[in-house]
Amino acid sequence: MAGKNWQAGGKSLIPALAVACVIASLAPAGLAWGELSGGFAPSSYIGSLDPETIWEILIGSIVVASFLAAVGLWVLSALRKVKRSQLRRNAFISSALNNLSQGVVMTDPRGRVIFCNDRYLEIYGLARSDVPPNMTGPELLETRRKRGLLDVSDGDFRARGASPEGLVTGLPGGRWVLARYFPLPNGGSVATHEDCTEQRRLSRKLASTTQFLESVLDNVPVCVAAKNIDDGRYIFANRAFERFSRFSRDYIVGRRADQIFRPDTAASIAAADRSALNAPEGHYRSELPVERGTETRIIASNRVIVRNENNEPEFLIALFDDVTERRSLSRELESTKKFLELVVDNIPVSLIVERVSDGKYLLANRSAERILNRRREDVTGLTAADIFNPREAKLIVARDEAAIRKRGLLAEEHPISTKDGLRLFLTRRMTVLDDAGEPQYLIKTHEDVTDRRQTESRMAHMAYHDGLTDLPNRAAFLQALAQMIEACGGTDEEFAVLCVDLDGLKEINDVFGQAMGDKLLIEVAKRLQNSAGGGVVSRLSGDEFGLIIDGKQPAAGKLLAKQVAGALANEFQIDGKSIHTGVTTGIAVFPHNGPDAATLLANAGAALFRAKAKSRGSISIYDPEMDRQIRDRRVLHQDLSVAIRNGELSLHYQPLARSGPTVATSEVVGFEALARWLHPARGFVPPADFIPLAEESGLIVEMGEWILREACREAASWPMPLQIAVNLSPAQFMHGDVVGLVHAILLETGLKPGRLELEITEGVLIEDFDRGLALLRRLKALGVRVSMDDFGSGYSSLSYLQAFPFDKIKVDRAFVMNLGRNPQSAAIVRAIIDLGHGLEMSIVAEGVETQEQLAFLSDAGCDAVQGYFVGKPAPIAQYAVLVGGKGGNVVEAGRKTG
């Protein structure tokens, strides 16, 4: 404090000291002068000067000396004051710079560090001792570089630090520092260093948030656009706006509406913008037409004004959606509403809507008038007590309350008196809840089910009876079997189950028609019932019947089977025609052949299967060996399914040659593709075993598709354009689109349609003549060839030849194998050849195995032959010489190879 006071009073103190010095120097002189003048007179003068002059000089010298001393003291005090002021200024500047949030480093023109604040040392983890006096700026940078705090050169530091963006350096620990370098005019420099870790984190977060918001706006289905209030230029447009306007956002942003849309549309947008600006609440909803291309769309927009901190309009955000279809749908909805009201009013079910709070009827359709016994307009606002008599009203209200308590569907059937008499109605009550979950409405429907229940009663009878013969059906037969098993269980009682198959029903249907077959079944059912003597008789399937007979078994069962066969052996007279038929029977005995109904019936079926395999009209009793065979057949079926899926099947190819007197003169013109199966455990499985199994199980459809695709693919690779023949099963015609399949495979494999020959049997046309004929015609339209296989083995082939122009007829091998031994076979073969040529169809003979057969066919004019004598089925690799186009007649070589 004393120092401060001294400094404050310095200016007045120095003159005072000077005056004091003058007074001090003059005081002794005055005293001396007084004494001298008081009576002392000098006796002499010093030199020639007057003593008074000497005293004046002496006194003046003293005064001058005192003044100079005072001036010296004053100058010394001023210098001390300036130095203290400089020290205080430097301390203040140093304190201020050390308390900055940024690090600061200053260098002089010679590059020496003249200042480095504490924040700089703190940022880089340096101590004050790391920056000694006279350290240069490059030395300080090198110190940082050695400690891993700088990864750029000195030149890069100065150049990038002097840029507007500054230099960002990453530090250990995930921190970042922004350095800026400022050169000074005198050659020195100032560098600032700021920890920007949090700033970078916030910047990334802001960028991520901005990107997220832009992504959200880009993916909302509503159009979003923003524009400046000042100039009306768009500053943002999302993808929905792009899709709607059919302009890119790069084109939209920076333009006004009148630069994007047509004048009428731009005027509508400007008017909506003004309305939003003038709206007190700051937003404005409207619908306006917008011309887009050649069409006009209606958009529903919501405009929001964004104001700045001074509450001045700055931006306008427009959200809008194309409601053209919605407006159209609104009109359609109104139309639909009227339509639904019309429908509800005319549905045949009575509909009533009741309000729960007071029980008043709010709605009733026209059909409800039958229940209410009054016009529907007259019941609105009334309750059940106002409409019905007290007893009926009490019952109705009780049921209504029960439905309301249940809060769900409540259905019941009860009779109601109507003008048509007492009818049975199905009443459904459904409670409708409000938003709070409380019952609000009760919907009641009344449906007259009198006729339905009568029909269901008849249907219940039909469910367990055959509709044609009125015999019990399979379900009823199984129930009867279960009852017999229950009655005989634990006793010595036996009974037999008979499966009876009617012979020739399919042929009768084909020859005489379905109606004749139905009449025959009715007559057969009557004879079976008479033969059973009141026992259980059932129709299990189309031509299969089931019977149950008790007594000593199997004698009683065999006796009944013979009685049935005798009863059906007599001809049937139906519509003036004599019909002959017979039966084949399989028998299973309880308890020896099965403990339950399903097993007994299955075993009786297995016995029937064995009987039919033996001969038509025979009787077979179940043997466990049959079960083994059936199981083996099932296993084989499963293995076949796996083989088809896993590609275990293969194709062999049998040559088809033009008919010549000898093999050497018979030229190969094509091959027939034949499936072969090499089982991994069973070995080679004959086609006669697995082809029928595939047809019975339906696997033939999947197998046939594979055979067709593989054969076409193989044939398409042959250099020689030979024919490829593939058999099609009737099942392939009955299931799926066989025409579409053939077309797709031809396109897929690239095989020319004219090289593909599809072989069918008459079964294709027997199943459904009209449909089969239509499919064959569509196949011909593809350009493929169609031939009839096994001609002569059926009884109606001539009618098929008349209905469809086959490209080829294949004579059944049964006729060919008897050539030379049976003159009838020779005559039949010649007749078929003449018939085919007369219909302009080529003839192929199958099963040629001898030179004699080949010579006969050649002499008879047969067009082509096929058989082991020409060539056996074999992998196509064995016939490579035939498909390779090497010339010459190589049938003999192929035959030997086969």
Side-chain angles (χ1 to χ4, degrees):
M1 181 65 70
K4 289 182 179 180
N5 291 337
W6 179 83
Q7 291 173 359
K11 290 182 179 181
S12 59
L13 182 59
I14 293 173
L17 289 175
V19 172
C21 290
V22 172
I23 294 174
S25 62
L26 292 177
L31 292 175
W33 180 260
E35 290 179 356
L36 290 176
S37 61
F40 176 76
S43 58
S44 64
Y45 296 93
I46 298 173
S48 59
L49 294 177
D50 185 16
E52 292 180 0
T53 302
I54 293 173
W55 280 108
E56 289 175 358
I57 292 171
L58 179 62
I59 292 170
S61 298
I62 292 171
V63 170
V64 170
S66 297
F67 175 76
L68 291 176
V71 169
L73 290 175
W74 180 80
V75 170
L76 180 62
S77 176
L79 290 174
R80 290 182 64 187
K81 179 181 177 182
V82 169
K83 185 175 181 180
R84 288 179 181 175
S85 176
Q86 183 68 30
L87 290 174
R88 284 198 303 272
R89 187 181 302 108
N90 291 342
F92 172 76
I93 293 174
S94 177
S95 176
L97 292 178
N98 277 323
N99 285 279
L100 288 177
S101 62
Q102 295 177 328
V104 178
V105 175
M106 300 180 183
T107 62
D108 60 14
R110 289 184 292 175
R112 292 180 303 175
V113 177
I114 60 174
F115 180 78
C116 173
N117 71 347
D118 295 341
R119 180 57 179 159
Y120 177 85
L121 301 175
E122 179 185 350
I123 288 175
Y124 294 108
L126 301 176
R128 181 60 66 179
S129 60
D130 294 327
V131 189
N134 297 323
M135 173 181 264
T136 65
E139 290 174 344
L140 180 59
L141 293 179
E142 183 61 27
T143 300
R144 284 177 50 196
R145 194 176 292 111
K146 289 179 179 180
R147 298 192 182 188
L149 303 176
L150 184 65
D151 56 359
V152 297
S153 65
D154 295 357
D156 286 343
F157 173 81
R158 288 189 292 272
R160 292 167 62 180
S163 66
E165 297 80 13
L167 171 65
V168 177
T169 305
L171 302 183
R175 294 188 302 119
W176 297 86
V177 176
L178 172 64
R180 296 183 184 277
Y181 179 79
F182 302 96
L184 299 177
N186 65 353
S189 68
V190 175
T192 62
H193 301 259
E194 182 180 2
D195 189 331
C196 61
T197 305
E198 183 65 17
Q199 179 181 354
R200 283 177 64 88
R201 186 186 68 81
L202 292 176
S203 178
R204 289 196 188 98
K205 185 175 181 181
L206 177 61
S208 176
T209 303
T210 303
Q211 183 179 6
F212 170 74
L213 292 177
E214 290 180 353
S215 176
V216 169
L217 290 176
D218 264 346
N219 288 280
V220 295
V222 178
C223 300
V224 181
K227 61 173 67 174
N228 283 319
I229 296 293
D230 295 338
D231 55 11
R233 297 184 184 276
Y234 288 102
I235 59 174
F236 176 78
N238 69 346
R239 290 178 184 169
F241 190 7
E242 286 184 304
R243 290 192 295 269
F244 172 78
S245 65
R246 297 175 180 172
F247 295 114
S248 67
R249 73 178 73 193
D250 294 335
Y251 179 82
I252 296 172
V253 172
R255 285 181 167 82
R256 300 186 304 272
D258 58 0
Q259 296 173 321
I260 300 174
F261 301 101
R262 294 183 181 178
D264 293 344
T265 299
S268 300
I269 293 174
D273 292 347
R274 287 193 298 271
S275 299
L277 284 170
N278 297 328
E281 58 275 13
H283 63 86
Y284 176 71
R285 295 177 181 272
S286 65
E287 289 188 1
L288 60 150
V290 174
E291 294 182 2
R292 188 181 64 181
T294 59
E295 59 180 352
T296 300
R297 311 294 294 179
I298 304 298
I299 63 170
S301 72
N302 183 17
R303 283 168 156 72
V304 180
I305 302 301
V306 179
R307 297 179 179 272
N308 58 20
E309 61 275 8
N310 298 324
N311 199 30
E312 298 171 345
E314 187 169 2
F315 304 110
L316 184 147
I317 300 176
L319 299 90
F320 59 91
D321 195 10
D322 189 344
V323 296
T324 309
E325 284 77 14
R326 191 187 308 168
R327 290 274 296 271
S328 177
L329 288 175
S330 178
R331 291 190 293 268
E332 291 182 9
L333 180 62
E334 185 65 27
S335 176
T336 302
K337 180 181 176 182
K338 294 179 181 178
F339 168 73
L340 291 177
E341 289 176 350
L342 183 64
V343 170
V344 169
D345 204 28
N346 289 276
I347 58 176
V349 177
S350 302
L351 174 66
I352 299 172
V353 180
E354 172 186 328
R355 188 162 52 208
V356 172
S357 59
D358 53 13
K360 291 183 178 181
Y361 288 1
L362 304 178
L363 175 73
N365 66 351
R366 291 293 178 193
S367 298
E369 294 177 348
R370 188 181 180 198
I371 304 295
L372 302 170
N373 293 317
R374 64 184 70 196
R375 295 172 62 249
R376 64 166 188 164
E377 292 84 0
D378 298 336
V379 301
T380 303
L382 301 181
T383 63
D386 300 327
I387 300 171
F388 303 100
N389 62 57
R391 185 180 62 82
E392 291 176 335
K394 182 177 180 181
L395 179 61
I396 292 172
V397 170
R399 299 307 297 164
D400 290 349
E401 291 176 350
I404 294 170
R405 288 194 299 271
K406 184 179 180 182
R407 297 193 176 194
L409 178 65
L410 184 64
E412 62 175 351
E413 291 185 9
H414 56 90
I416 297 178
S417 297
T418 67
K419 62 180 180 179
D420 300 323
L422 192 64
R423 305 285 292 177
L424 184 65
F425 280 84
L426 170 62
T427 300
R428 297 184 179 89
R429 291 174 168 85
M430 172 60 74
T431 305
V432 179
L433 306 180
D434 59 15
D435 295 337
E438 295 300 323
Q440 186 174 16
Y441 302 110
L442 182 66
I443 300 176
K444 297 188 288 186
T445 62
H446 304 272
E447 183 180 1
D448 190 341
V449 294
T450 308
D451 297 334
R452 184 194 304 174
R453 294 295 176 256
Q454 293 174 352
T455 301
E456 288 174 353
S457 178
R458 293 192 297 270
M459 291 178 64
H461 175 81
M462 293 172 60
Y464 290 95
H465 289 78
D466 176 51
L468 178 64
T469 63
D470 203 37
L471 290 176
N473 60 10
R474 179 181 288 269
F477 188 72
L478 288 172
Q479 284 187 352
L481 269 179
Q483 292 170 2
M484 286 289 291
I485 291 172
E486 185 178 357
C488 297
T491 69
D492 296 333
E493 296 288 335
E494 295 180 327
F495 66 88
V497 180
L498 280 70
C499 280
V500 178
D501 186 74
L502 191 62
D503 298 335
L505 178 62
K506 183 176 181 182
E507 289 77 5
I508 293 169
N509 285 335
D510 290 337
V511 175
F512 299 106
Q514 187 76 35
M516 181 67 75
D518 290 345
K519 292 178 181 179
L520 173 63
L521 288 171
I522 294 172
E523 295 300 321
V524 168
K526 292 178 181 178
R527 293 191 187 185
L528 288 176
Q529 285 179 312
N530 292 334
S531 300
V536 178
V537 180
S538 170
R539 186 184 179 195
L540 301 178
S541 63
D543 57 359
E544 188 175 340
F545 295 85
L547 294 87
I548 301 176
I549 181 69
D550 56 2
K552 187 63 177 176
Q553 303 300 338
K558 294 175 69 175
L559 178 61
L560 178 59
K562 292 178 181 179
Q563 291 175 352
V564 168
L568 299 182
N570 298 323
E571 66 181 14
F572 292 85
Q573 293 295 327
I574 302 174
D575 294 341
K577 296 182 177 63
S578 296
I579 307 297
H580 294 271
T581 186
V583 291
T584 304
T585 306
I587 302 174
V589 177
F590 175 83
H592 311 294
N593 301 144
D596 55 68
T599 304
L600 277 173
L601 186 56
N603 290 339
L608 176 61
F609 181 79
R610 171 63 66 87
K612 288 193 292 185
K614 186 187 302 180
S615 65
R616 285 290 182 177
S618 62
I619 300 172
S620 178
I621 300 175
Y622 175 76
D623 188 326
E625 177 65 18
M626 299 178 186
D627 190 45
R628 187 195 65 78
Q629 293 176 355
I630 292 175
R631 286 200 304 270
D632 186 67
R633 189 174 179 84
R634 289 173 180 167
V635 171
L636 188 63
H637 170 263
Q638 293 176 352
D639 292 346
L640 178 59
S641 178
V642 172
I644 294 173
R645 290 197 305 269
N646 295 344
E648 296 176 7
L649 299 180
S650 62
L651 288 185
H652 284 197
Y653 296 85
Q654 186 173 24
L656 179 68
R658 288 195 180 94
S659 179
T662 64
V663 172
T665 58
S666 300
E667 180 186 359
V668 171
V669 295
F671 288 87
E672 180 179 359
L674 301 171
R676 294 294 183 264
W677 180 18
L678 184 62
H679 193 281
R682 298 171 183 259
F684 179 76
V685 181
D689 289 347
F690 72 86
I691 294 296
L693 183 62
E695 290 180 340
E696 293 172 11
S697 62
L699 290 174
I700 193 65
V701 176
E702 184 179 357
M703 182 191 301
E705 179 179 343
W706 177 84
I707 293 172
L708 180 62
R709 178 175 283 104
E710 182 66 15
C712 291
R713 183 195 62 77
E714 175 62 41
S717 67
W718 298 342
M720 294 287 288
L722 303 179
Q723 293 288 126
I724 183 68
V726 180
N727 288 280
L728 290 184
S729 168
Q732 291 177 268
F733 281 80
M734 298 302 296
H735 302 88
D737 181 12
V738 65
V739 180
L741 174 65
V742 172
H743 189 206
I745 290 177
L746 288 173
L747 293 175
E748 175 186 333
T749 61
L751 182 69
K752 293 182 179 180
R755 292 181 59 195
L756 177 61
E757 182 176 295
L758 300 176
E759 297 183 2
I760 68 162
T761 61
E762 59 188 9
V764 170
L765 298 171
I766 289 175
E767 294 292 338
D768 188 339
F769 180 80
D770 293 333
R771 183 175 183 274
L773 194 61
L775 291 176
L776 291 178
R777 287 172 177 165
R778 289 174 60 196
L779 286 172
K780 284 277 287 185
L782 292 178
V784 302
R785 298 167 60 85
V786 181
S787 65
M788 175 173 281
D789 198 12
D790 299 334
F791 183 80
S793 61
Y795 52 85
S796 54
S797 299
L798 294 179
S799 63
Y800 302 149
L801 295 180
Q802 185 179 13
F804 181 77
F806 288 93
D807 295 290
K808 185 182 294 182
I809 298 174
K810 300 189 75 172
V811 181
D812 188 74
R813 67 183 66 248
F815 301 110
V816 176
M817 65 185 298
N818 289 320
L819 290 177
R821 293 181 294 177
N822 188 334
Q824 288 82 4
S825 295
I828 291 173
V829 170
R830 288 186 185 276
I832 294 175
I833 292 173
D834 292 339
L835 173 64
H837 290 166
L839 296 174
E840 298 182 353
M841 302 177 187
S842 61
I843 306 300
V844 178
E846 295 184 292
V848 178
E849 298 182 357
T850 66
Q851 173 61 39
E852 290 77 15
Q853 294 170 351
L854 177 61
F856 174 86
L857 293 168
S858 176
D859 182 65
C862 184
D863 299 290
V865 292
Q866 183 179 355
Y868 280 16
F869 189 68
V870 177
K872 295 180 180 180
I876 196 63
Q878 297 188 24
Y879 291 108
V881 67
L882 297 179
V883 300
K886 294 186 178 180
N889 192 340
V890 289
V891 175
E892 181 65 26
R895 184 179 69 84
K896 291 179 180 178
T897 303

